[in-house]
Amino acid sequence: SQVQTCADVKPLCGGWSLVRAACPETCGCSSPIGELFLTGPAYGCPEVCPTTPWYLTRQTSLPCFDPTPAELQTDPLWLGWAEQFAVEVNAVFRAAPEMIPCDDCAEFFRNHGCGIAQVWTDLIQGILNMKVDPCSGNWLSSWLRLRPLSTYCPVECGCAASSGPRTLSDVLAAGCPGGCATAP
């Protein structure tokens, strides 16, 4: 059969960066909480996606709370992200498997819930003496840039913390959900 629309290739989004580049909306690149954890240019998602009106509209509508660990244990989105995370961590450390920072990285991701952001940051700092920020998508410097956690785990990522009023534009620029804005 012939490919006529992006919907025809949606099943290939997870494995083919070319499909993500050609069909970013269908593949979830243009959503702040899409199924695909492998976002960004290195994975085929156009760099412009997080700045498009479509993405920002979705980001604006997101609430400012973290799902509970129990909710995440049964959340298909989170479980899918955990599997993709594990595949990518293993790929990064392919040449030095003894350096992989987690025995079962999918389970590690699932079990820590939104706390994965701080646990991973501390772990990588301790093992590799490297500063990372999963909340912004920096999981292992330029070697592992994945979907930022700030839109799904805004409290853990500091989006709810405020030393004063935060406008919607400031909150969105920080990668946080619109629900974290405290001022017009």
Side-chain angles (χ1 to χ4, degrees):
S1 76
Q2 287 187 328
V3 173
Q4 296 180 343
T5 68
C6 285
D8 296 334
V9 294
K10 183 171 174 52
L12 302 176
C13 288
W16 292 45
S17 60
L18 182 60
V19 172
R20 292 190 287 271
C23 302
E25 177 64 31
T26 300
C27 291
C29 297
S30 60
S31 174
I33 55 169
E35 294 173 21
L36 193 63
F37 201 53
L38 315 176
T39 58
Y43 297 101
C45 289
E47 193 169 3
V48 70
C49 282
T51 63
T52 62
W54 186 253
Y55 186 101
L56 295 172
T57 297
R58 290 177 178 173
Q59 186 181 351
T60 298
S61 70
L62 294 174
C64 192
F65 66 86
D66 291 357
T68 67
E71 290 169 331
L72 291 173
Q73 287 293 324
T74 59
D75 180 346
L77 183 71
W78 190 260
L79 299 176
W81 287 3
E83 294 304 320
Q84 293 172 60
F85 172 76
V87 168
E88 291 308 302
V89 168
N90 287 327
V92 166
F93 289 97
R94 185 175 309 128
E98 70 281 359
M99 294 290 295
I100 295 176
C102 35
D103 291 331
D104 179 340
C105 291
E107 182 180 349
F108 179 80
F109 189 99
R110 285 189 304 269
N111 289 344
H112 282 94
C114 286
I116 187 73
Q118 189 60 55
V119 170
W120 183 260
T121 298
D122 294 344
L123 183 65
I124 297 303
Q125 178 68 37
I127 294 173
L128 302 173
N129 194 28
M130 183 183 293
K131 290 198 180 279
V132 297
D133 180 16
C135 292
S136 70
N138 172 3
W139 289 83
L140 197 60
S141 191
S142 61
W143 295 295
L144 193 58
R145 289 209 165 270
L146 303 170
R147 181 178 293 282
L149 283 184
S150 58
T151 53
Y152 211 60
C153 297
V155 175
E156 175 69 27
C157 289
C159 295
S162 178
S163 58
R166 292 177 39 160
T167 65
L168 179 60
S169 61
D170 289 342
V171 165
L172 296 178
C176 298
C180 295
T182 59

